[in-house]
Amino acid sequence: MIMRICSLGCIILSLASWRSVQGSRSEEDTFIGWQGEQYAAFHTSTASDEVIGEGSLFSLNETARPAWIQTISYKPRAMVYHNFLSDRECRHIIDLAHAQMKRSTVVGSKNAGVVDDIRTSYGTFLRRHQDPVIAAIEHRLALWSHLPASHQEDMQVLRYGPTNKYGPHIDGLERVATVLIYLVEPDYGGETAFTESVWSHPELQGQAERANLSQCARGRVAYKPKRGDALMFFDTMPDYKQTDVHSMHTGCPVVEGVKWNAVKWLHGTPFRGDEYERALKEPFKPLPDPGICANLHEMCETWALQGECKNNPGFMIGAGASMGSCRLACNDCERCAEGDMDCYRRNRDSGGFLNFDESELKGI
Ligand SMILES: *[C@@H]1O[C@H](CO)[C@@H](O)[C@H](O)[C@H]1NC(C)=O
Ligand SMILES: *[C@@H]1O[C@H](CO)[C@@H](O)[C@H](O)[C@H]1NC(C)=O
């Protein structure tokens, strides 16, 4: 009988009386909340180097923002890590990514990337361990997910403007979990909504009903993007094998403003393990800005004369997410005078790359 009503609370109580007998004052072995302690120090580098790792961009001021983890649903298993990133980390990711952001494609027939209406956004990938800040974020995610950093795919960075959305889908591709990290929150819409879901607690459901969610998110387990927060959900059942049909989700259309997020997919085994090992050793070589019209190979002019621009456009001009190696030789862009920003913008546009206005980042 005692065992049945005596759960964790009872253990803590008995521990408490044991402690008072022992008169323990040592700081390491007390529970948070034991004597009113707070989690405020969670993200400070002195208190928790392990959580942060080298290269982290939490400033002292930002540590005042509490980090906590909240389970929002068991169907699918989904949780939110509030303040997973600092503002500076959000900005850093955007700074690394934006020059290479290209209109997104989905996998079409014959595995060729095709632009279609389901996924209408700009995106690019950051290499794993690309720099110390990305490495620190990957380490933090490994601690949270209990899956090593080698199981993470490269970070995909995405930008959705008004009407851009990602229709309902299951992530699949042997992914066990998906992590969506919000970098810039839209003014309205852009929620991540689970179409076959149940809130973990009626109180959360009540909060969602009172919040002004967009039409697409109403009545569903949905998360309204907030800068720095991360939403993690499992794509598989607890056996890590069968797909969890409750993980069906949609990126609701952005109605007002712009949404930027970063996506991390997690696997049950190392993802391209050799590539990851190389990334740990080799410094990252940034690609040139596609606004600057250039040949990236000395043979470009020769190849162009041999008709390669027409015969091999993917390599020469660029297709899908990749940038062409000989855009100049193929007359696919304009040669710009140095610093001619309008000319760079035209080249970015014609190559399918993103131009954006700094103000949409809302001061980060
Ligand atoms: C931290 O906050 C103080 C007081 O608000 C401000 O003066 C200082 O500039 C801030 N430092 C940083 C690095 O943001
Ligand atoms: C919800 O927000 C939208 C966009 O800001 C606004 O147009 C609408 O009036 C709001 N609805 C309510 C009930 O507050």
Side-chain angles (χ1 to χ4, degrees):
M1 182 62 189
I2 285 173
M3 287 312 288
R4 209 175 306 148
I5 56 168
C6 175
S7 63
L8 187 61
C10 183
I11 294 169
I12 289 172
L13 269 181
S14 47
L15 205 53
S17 44
W18 179 76
R19 276 283 158 67
S20 59
V21 170
Q22 299 293 305
S24 170
R25 285 278 183 278
S26 132
E27 282 182 13
E28 307 81 67
D29 61 0
T30 53
F31 290 119
I32 292 284
W34 178 254
Q35 288 166 331
E37 300 88 340
Q38 301 289 322
Y39 280 107
F42 192 58
H43 270 155
T44 65
S45 50
T46 47
S48 192
D49 270 337
E50 246 246 303
V51 172
I52 304 251
E54 265 178 68
S56 173
L57 288 181
F58 276 94
S59 78
L60 271 176
N61 283 5
E62 285 164 334
T63 62
R65 288 209 319 223
W68 79 103
I69 296 166
Q70 186 181 30
T71 296
I72 63 167
S73 170
Y74 291 101
K75 289 179 178 188
R77 290 177 293 147
M79 59 230 82
V80 177
Y81 189 144
H82 297 268
N83 296 323
F84 179 72
L85 297 186
S86 71
D87 285 354
R88 286 167 66 205
E89 286 171 330
C90 293
R91 176 68 203 222
H92 183 81
I93 290 172
I94 292 169
D95 286 344
L96 291 182
H98 75 81
Q100 300 301 330
M101 303 272 283
K102 204 169 185 193
R103 178 89 195 260
S104 302
T105 54
V106 293
V107 177
S109 56
K110 295 185 199 150
N111 266 351
V114 294
V115 173
D116 86 354
D117 290 338
I118 300 180
R119 188 164 212 185
T120 51
S121 56
Y122 284 85
T124 193
F125 288 90
L126 299 182
R127 197 198 70 176
R128 288 176 285 180
H129 225 266
Q130 176 162 331
D131 77 1
V133 175
I134 299 303
I137 293 167
E138 288 169 343
H139 180 60
R140 198 178 306 147
L141 178 55
L143 291 172
W144 179 28
S145 63
H146 296 198
L147 290 168
S150 58
H151 293 211
Q152 300 174 16
E153 291 186 28
D154 292 6
M155 181 185 286
Q156 188 177 29
V157 182
L158 292 161
R159 175 197 181 271
Y160 301 81
T163 78
N164 284 2
K165 62 171 178 182
Y166 197 179
H169 63 284
I170 282 178
D171 283 342
L173 301 176
E174 299 184 353
R175 289 151 173 170
V176 299
T178 301
V179 183
L180 301 173
I181 307 169
Y182 304 96
L183 308 174
V184 173
E185 56 204 47
D187 298 321
Y188 193 52
E191 300 90 346
T192 301
F194 297 94
T195 52
E196 321 280 334
S197 54
V198 186
W199 288 99
S200 61
H201 197 280
E203 196 183 311
L204 292 173
Q205 185 174 355
Q207 280 171 17
E209 279 160 12
R210 288 187 297 277
N212 184 8
L213 298 181
S214 71
Q215 178 72 37
C216 142
R218 270 176 229 152
R220 295 164 163 176
V221 172
Y223 190 69
K224 192 175 154 77
K226 190 168 168 303
R227 185 167 75 213
D229 282 4
L231 167 68
M232 174 159 71
F233 58 90
F234 285 89
D235 304 297
T236 53
M237 303 296 281
D239 66 5
Y240 274 49
K241 290 190 183 106
Q242 294 172 76
T243 299
D244 183 355
V245 293
H246 301 103
S247 71
M248 176 77 78
H249 58 284
T250 182
C252 290
V254 169
V255 181
E256 287 169 24
V258 170
K259 174 168 93 167
W260 289 72
N261 68 10
V263 187
K264 271 293 206 181
W265 283 288
L266 312 182
H267 290 247
T269 53
F271 179 75
R272 298 182 185 161
D274 295 348
E275 190 182 284
Y276 180 72
E277 292 303 321
R278 277 200 305 279
L280 294 182
K281 290 185 210 118
E282 289 171 13
F284 179 75
K285 291 194 206 77
L287 285 166
D289 185 326
I292 299 165
C293 195
N295 290 327
L296 308 184
H297 199 287
E298 57 188 19
M299 293 291 288
C300 281
E301 297 292 350
T302 311
W303 290 330
L305 287 172
Q306 292 168 352
E308 288 298 308
C309 299
K310 232 171 122 188
N311 297 337
N312 196 1
F315 174 82
M316 298 291 282
I317 297 172
S322 72
M323 182 162 65
S325 297
C326 301
R327 288 182 71 205
L328 178 59
C330 295
N331 289 320
D332 185 55
C333 51
E334 290 175 54
R335 202 194 284 267
C336 301
E338 203 179 318
D340 182 347
M341 291 309 195
D342 285 340
C343 181
Y344 295 160
R345 290 180 80 91
R346 286 194 297 274
N347 282 337
R348 297 185 59 79
D349 263 341
S350 67
F353 290 92
L354 173 69
N355 283 308
F356 75 102
D357 195 311
E358 174 76 23
S359 66
E360 76 181 48
L361 304 184
K362 299 181 174 165
I364 57 165

